[in-house]
Amino acid sequence: MPEDDAFSTIMSSVDTPLIVVTTGNDTDGVREWGGCLVGFHTQASIDPERYCLWLSKANHTTRVAQRSTHLVVHFLTADDLALAERFGTLTGDHDDKFAGLRTEAGPGGVPVLLDCPHRLVVRRTSLLDEGGDHLCLATEPVAVASGGPFTPLRLSDAAHLTPGHEAEERHAPPTERAPG
């Protein structure tokens, strides 16, 4: 099996839980919000608590996140496919993904989705661009909420969705680690 196929096989077998990441700011009375469906994320430290997530360079949300201090990591349940579809198939470049949703502004003006009871409000501590098609944001939790144990919505549950941005739209310059 070629190496790329083996990597894809392993990654597709992992079946990552999906999250919606929202971010925003309010500068001089002008509200800017972004949000997207994310499959690349993980706890990154126990003490101190840290959480990392990776945002596609093609997404409007990534540009908003670079100008924001906070983000909200909303953990989706098995019943949240419609929310995954909204944040995964629409693009903030053209659509208001928050229209009709119950929200409130959190720290730094970040949008909190009130109907997602499992969430981390995080402060960005660093950003890493190692040359791939996603940016890594390292964060620290500043508030945590949970409605109790839940069954997460997984990548395989949303595999039929068509992304708001295609892979070809992602910026992926060559690096010394990857062929150009």
Side-chain angles (χ1 to χ4, degrees):
M1 176 178 285
E3 196 172 311
D4 325 0
D5 292 344
F7 183 80
S8 294
T9 298
I10 292 170
M11 292 301 104
S12 65
S13 297
V14 173
D15 206 14
T16 306
L18 293 174
I19 61 174
V20 166
V21 173
T22 59
T23 189
N25 54 67
D26 189 349
T27 307
D28 299 325
V30 177
R31 184 187 90 174
E32 180 181 39
W33 280 4
C36 62
L37 185 64
V38 173
F40 301 150
H41 58 98
T42 191
Q43 180 178 349
S45 176
I46 297 169
D47 187 17
E49 293 174 336
R50 295 290 186 264
Y51 205 84
C52 287
L53 49 110
W54 288 260
L55 301 178
S56 170
K57 292 178 181 178
N59 288 349
H60 170 259
T61 304
T62 304
R63 294 187 298 279
V64 176
Q66 290 176 302
R67 295 186 290 273
S68 304
T69 58
H70 292 78
L71 302 101
V72 183
V73 179
H74 301 87
F75 293 85
L76 301 181
T77 72
D79 296 326
D80 291 325
L81 183 59
L83 199 58
E85 183 172 11
R86 176 187 288 238
F87 281 91
T89 65
L90 300 177
T91 171
D93 294 319
H94 309 291
D95 304 295
D96 179 0
K97 296 181 187 183
F98 299 92
L101 297 178
R102 290 181 346 106
T103 62
E104 70 180 19
V110 67
V112 177
L113 302 176
L114 296 176
D115 293 325
C116 287
H118 312 285
R119 60 182 175 259
L120 306 174
V121 178
V122 297
R123 183 183 69 78
R124 183 168 45 102
T125 59
S126 61
L127 184 140
L128 171 66
D129 182 353
E130 59 76 51
D133 59 7
H134 284 65
L135 293 178
C136 175
L137 287 77
T139 69
E140 65 178 345
V142 297
V144 179
S146 178
F150 65 99
T151 301
L153 183 71
R154 297 203 174 268
L155 187 57
S156 61
D157 300 323
H160 65 283
L161 301 179
T162 302
H165 286 284
E166 295 300 325
E168 300 80 38
E169 296 178 67
R170 297 183 194 126
H171 179 66
T175 69
E176 66 275 4
R177 294 173 302 284

